[in-house]
Amino acid sequence: MTSTARLGDLAGGVEPMPDRAGVPSGRGPRAREARWALLFLGPTLVGLAVLSAGPILATFGISLTKWDMLTAPQFVGLENYGKLLGDDRFLKALRNTVFYTVVSVPVGLVLALGLAAALNQQIRGIAWIRTAYFLPLVTSATAVALVWLWIYSPTGLLNDFLALFGIPPQRWVSDPTLAMPSIIAMSIWQGLPANVIIFLAGLQAIPVEYYDAASVDGAGRWSRFRDVTLPLLTPSIFFVGVLALIGAFQVFDQVYVMANPGKPSEATITLVYFIYENGFRNFKMGYAGAASWIMFLIVAVFTILYFRTQNRWVHYQ
Amino acid sequence: MTAPTSAVPAAAAAVARAGAGRPAPRPTRRLVRKGTLYAALVAGGVAMMIPFIWMATTSLKTRAEVFTSPPFSFPTGLHWENYANMWFALPGVTFGTFFQNSIVIASLATIGQVITCAMAAYAFAVIEFRGKRVLFALILATLIIPFQIVLVPNFILYRYLPWPLSDSGNWIGTILPLWVWAFFGGAFGTFLLRQFFLTIPRELADAARVDGANPWQIFLRVYVPLARPALATLAIFQFMWSWNDLLDPLIYLRDLPTYTTTVGLAFFQGQFVGKWPEMMAGALVSLLPMIILFLVAQKYFVRGIALSGIKG
């Protein structure tokens, strides 16, 4: 956390004495420039100190206390962390969130890749076709979860459809083993457009000459995709992967809506829901803070491990 | 409009265009292939749209019809009264109130982000000052940190900020925590606009400086006008995020009259279990502004995502 430690110096030097911050060499054009920088960055620096980077440290401080917001906080050391590791609901939330991430990220990525390749065509009306695929992009997870709840309901569309093949109706949302996969399927549908758009941009940045050269060498459609497209697209794939990974850990809205009415069972509770429930329903600020820090660390570990794999499969031109 | 379009990297701009050049196969095979491709793409597109179609048809059926008729049948009559029932379903407020709250919050948050992110982006792109790289790296880092880590301290902050007009005497229960933050910069907007500002030729700023303009005037008269497409992209994304947000409004809003459309919908669902036509009507109405915005400004959505990789 060396970078956040520096924030203190920066913000501290900024607020009381605007003229002095970051200007060692007195007057002159550079000093004047720096003063202008301060003016432009003023709101951002306050936001960073008070609303984002500062609070990350504050969360850790709060996590060492017992605090219900009615009485004064009480220092309890690492007790909250110890309690969390023995809290069955927290461990379920952790397991569900990791399950959600390791399934939804790779499946979503592969589907988006295939779809992007299919949509990367020069045919009439492609703009309209793409619009249909991109539409879920702008929809709120809340409204989407409501529709899917209805699709998944015992008398809903999915069971009606499966009945055509003689498959008996399933309880997609209330059956503990099916609940999480159902939520994952819905999230993949909603997350597809953003990933497809990034992949499309990546595909269209590949120089045509590469394909021409491959064709001259006698490469077929599939081998062109495997030997030209895929390696050149790995930076995009890596990038989408990072975003999908971090985003997946934050899953909340779908779970909130689907676990009617806002009280998920242990089958679908996620980390963010656990934080919400403890912090803002039960006002256990210290406990919620500790859960936030554990989530932060887990996301950091996953992200670092993911970055470590980079050398093995990502080809930068 | 030449400078703004040329500022968008080729990769992103290319999304608007179509296709990669491929060597042409023989005519008949090409026709068959093209036909299959069309069929598959259209079928897939319809499949993607099923939830929307299902939402629309359900919203026009009667409650009895929903459970008895075959799934993809059209409604027997157009039961628009479902929309009226939904609109007036909750005591003391209409769905219009939620709409109004969402519009106010999303608009204020958008204004705040566009102004303060543009300012910060200008500093990072144009002005030289000590600690620039470290500060920019720090801002980028907050972009990939899950924001839930700051939920607890932010809640505590707003709990102690006084507000005489609210029942609690502080910001909890008001819409303030949902938009005031936006006036204090943001990682996504700063990053997006900085990238754009970097593509604007420095000679333009130098020329203005020679004419006696100070950095603020250069920012307002040279950079802001040229960056209009990028500013529009940020505005659209921020509006959408605020409009679709559920977690923050859930945490901060206490009374029905302050609810946004998302919290209103979630509340509605808890109250009216099984009333699918009304619920689908509500979901569809809440999505409509975003769907229209998307159809009008698809270019900006696509460009914003392709440029920055940030999701909707």
CSV table of all heavy atoms in Angstrom, one decimal, chain A residues 205-224:
chain,number,residue,atom,x,y,z
A,205,ALA,N,-8.9,-4.4,-35.2
A,205,ALA,CA,-7.6,-3.7,-35.2
A,205,ALA,C,-6.6,-4.7,-35.8
A,205,ALA,O,-5.4,-4.3,-35.9
A,205,ALA,CB,-7.2,-3.4,-33.7
A,206,ILE,N,-7.0,-5.9,-36.0
A,206,ILE,CA,-6.0,-6.8,-36.6
A,206,ILE,C,-5.8,-6.5,-38.1
A,206,ILE,O,-6.8,-6.5,-38.9
A,206,ILE,CB,-6.5,-8.3,-36.5
A,206,ILE,CG1,-6.6,-8.6,-35.0
A,206,ILE,CG2,-5.5,-9.3,-37.2
A,206,ILE,CD1,-7.2,-10.0,-34.7
A,207,PRO,N,-4.6,-6.2,-38.5
A,207,PRO,CA,-4.3,-5.9,-39.9
A,207,PRO,C,-4.7,-7.0,-40.9
A,207,PRO,O,-4.4,-8.1,-40.7
A,207,PRO,CB,-2.8,-5.6,-40.0
A,207,PRO,CG,-2.4,-5.5,-38.6
A,207,PRO,CD,-3.3,-6.2,-37.7
A,208,VAL,N,-5.4,-6.6,-42.0
A,208,VAL,CA,-5.9,-7.5,-43.0
A,208,VAL,C,-4.7,-8.3,-43.6
A,208,VAL,O,-4.9,-9.5,-43.9
A,208,VAL,CB,-6.7,-6.8,-44.1
A,208,VAL,CG1,-7.2,-7.8,-45.1
A,208,VAL,CG2,-7.8,-6.0,-43.5
A,209,GLU,N,-3.6,-7.7,-43.7
A,209,GLU,CA,-2.4,-8.4,-44.3
A,209,GLU,C,-2.1,-9.7,-43.6
A,209,GLU,O,-1.6,-10.6,-44.3
A,209,GLU,CB,-1.2,-7.5,-44.3
A,209,GLU,CG,-1.3,-6.1,-45.0
A,209,GLU,CD,-2.0,-5.1,-44.2
A,209,GLU,OE1,-1.6,-4.8,-43.1
A,209,GLU,OE2,-3.0,-4.6,-44.7
A,210,TYR,N,-2.3,-9.8,-42.3
A,210,TYR,CA,-2.0,-11.0,-41.6
A,210,TYR,C,-2.8,-12.2,-42.2
A,210,TYR,O,-2.3,-13.3,-42.3
A,210,TYR,CB,-2.2,-10.8,-40.1
A,210,TYR,CG,-1.2,-10.0,-39.4
A,210,TYR,CD1,-0.2,-9.3,-40.1
A,210,TYR,CD2,-1.2,-9.9,-38.0
A,210,TYR,CE1,0.7,-8.5,-39.5
A,210,TYR,CE2,-0.3,-9.1,-37.4
A,210,TYR,CZ,0.7,-8.4,-38.1
A,210,TYR,OH,1.6,-7.6,-37.5
A,211,TYR,N,-4.1,-11.8,-42.4
A,211,TYR,CA,-5.0,-12.9,-43.0
A,211,TYR,C,-4.6,-13.3,-44.4
A,211,TYR,O,-4.6,-14.4,-44.7
A,211,TYR,CB,-6.4,-12.4,-42.9
A,211,TYR,CG,-7.0,-12.3,-41.5
A,211,TYR,CD1,-7.2,-11.0,-41.0
A,211,TYR,CD2,-7.3,-13.4,-40.8
A,211,TYR,CE1,-7.8,-10.9,-39.7
A,211,TYR,CE2,-7.8,-13.3,-39.5
A,211,TYR,CZ,-8.0,-12.1,-39.0
A,211,TYR,OH,-8.5,-11.9,-37.7
A,212,ASP,N,-4.2,-12.2,-45.1
A,212,ASP,CA,-3.8,-12.5,-46.5
A,212,ASP,C,-2.6,-13.4,-46.5
A,212,ASP,O,-2.5,-14.4,-47.3
A,212,ASP,CB,-3.5,-11.1,-47.2
A,212,ASP,CG,-4.7,-10.3,-47.4
A,212,ASP,OD1,-5.8,-10.8,-47.2
A,212,ASP,OD2,-4.6,-9.1,-47.6
A,213,ALA,N,-1.6,-13.1,-45.7
A,213,ALA,CA,-0.4,-13.9,-45.6
A,213,ALA,C,-0.7,-15.3,-45.2
A,213,ALA,O,-0.2,-16.3,-45.8
A,213,ALA,CB,0.6,-13.3,-44.6
A,214,ALA,N,-1.6,-15.5,-44.3
A,214,ALA,CA,-2.0,-16.8,-43.8
A,214,ALA,C,-2.7,-17.6,-45.0
A,214,ALA,O,-2.5,-18.8,-45.1
A,214,ALA,CB,-2.9,-16.7,-42.6
A,215,SER,N,-3.5,-16.9,-45.7
A,215,SER,CA,-4.3,-17.5,-46.8
A,215,SER,C,-3.3,-18.0,-47.9
A,215,SER,O,-3.4,-19.1,-48.5
A,215,SER,CB,-5.3,-16.6,-47.5
A,215,SER,OG,-6.2,-16.2,-46.5
A,216,VAL,N,-2.3,-17.1,-48.2
A,216,VAL,CA,-1.3,-17.5,-49.2
A,216,VAL,C,-0.6,-18.8,-48.7
A,216,VAL,O,-0.3,-19.6,-49.5
A,216,VAL,CB,-0.2,-16.3,-49.3
A,216,VAL,CG1,1.0,-16.8,-50.2
A,216,VAL,CG2,-0.9,-15.1,-50.0
A,217,ASP,N,-0.4,-18.9,-47.4
A,217,ASP,CA,0.3,-20.1,-46.9
A,217,ASP,C,-0.7,-21.3,-46.9
A,217,ASP,O,-0.3,-22.3,-46.3
A,217,ASP,CB,0.8,-19.8,-45.5
A,217,ASP,CG,2.0,-18.9,-45.5
A,217,ASP,OD1,2.5,-18.7,-46.6
A,217,ASP,OD2,2.3,-18.3,-44.4
A,218,GLY,N,-1.9,-21.1,-47.3
A,218,GLY,CA,-2.9,-22.2,-47.4
A,218,GLY,C,-3.6,-22.4,-46.1
A,218,GLY,O,-4.2,-23.5,-46.0
A,219,ALA,N,-3.7,-21.5,-45.3
A,219,ALA,CA,-4.5,-21.7,-44.0
A,219,ALA,C,-6.0,-21.6,-44.3
A,219,ALA,O,-6.5,-20.8,-45.0
A,219,ALA,CB,-4.1,-20.6,-43.0
A,220,GLY,N,-6.7,-22.5,-43.7
A,220,GLY,CA,-8.2,-22.5,-43.8
A,220,GLY,C,-8.8,-21.6,-42.8
A,220,GLY,O,-8.1,-20.9,-42.1
A,221,ARG,N,-10.1,-21.6,-42.8
A,221,ARG,CA,-10.8,-20.7,-41.9
A,221,ARG,C,-10.5,-20.9,-40.5
A,221,ARG,O,-10.1,-19.9,-39.7
A,221,ARG,CB,-12.3,-20.9,-42.1
A,221,ARG,CG,-13.2,-19.7,-42.1
A,221,ARG,CD,-14.5,-20.1,-42.8
A,221,ARG,NE,-14.8,-19.0,-43.8
A,221,ARG,CZ,-15.4,-17.9,-43.5
A,221,ARG,NH1,-15.7,-17.6,-42.2
A,221,ARG,NH2,-15.6,-16.9,-44.4
A,222,TRP,N,-10.5,-22.1,-40.0
A,222,TRP,CA,-10.3,-22.4,-38.6
A,222,TRP,C,-8.9,-22.1,-38.2
A,222,TRP,O,-8.6,-21.6,-37.2
A,222,TRP,CB,-10.7,-23.9,-38.3
A,222,TRP,CG,-10.2,-24.4,-37.0
A,222,TRP,CD1,-9.3,-25.3,-36.7
A,222,TRP,CD2,-10.6,-23.8,-35.7
A,222,TRP,NE1,-9.1,-25.4,-35.4
A,222,TRP,CE2,-9.9,-24.5,-34.7
A,222,TRP,CE3,-11.5,-22.9,-35.3
A,222,TRP,CZ2,-10.0,-24.3,-33.4
A,222,TRP,CZ3,-11.7,-22.6,-33.9
A,222,TRP,CH2,-10.9,-23.3,-33.0
A,223,SER,N,-7.9,-22.5,-39.1
A,223,SER,CA,-6.5,-22.3,-38.7
A,223,SER,C,-6.2,-20.8,-38.8
A,223,SER,O,-5.3,-20.4,-38.0
A,223,SER,CB,-5.6,-23.1,-39.6
A,223,SER,OG,-5.2,-22.4,-40.7
A,224,ARG,N,-6.9,-20.0,-39.6
A,224,ARG,CA,-6.7,-18.6,-39.6
A,224,ARG,C,-7.1,-18.0,-38.2
A,224,ARG,O,-6.5,-17.2,-37.6
A,224,ARG,CB,-7.5,-17.9,-40.7
A,224,ARG,CG,-6.8,-17.9,-42.1
A,224,ARG,CD,-7.2,-16.7,-42.9
A,224,ARG,NE,-8.7,-16.7,-43.1
A,224,ARG,CZ,-9.3,-17.3,-44.2
A,224,ARG,NH1,-8.6,-17.9,-45.1
A,224,ARG,NH2,-10.6,-17.2,-44.3
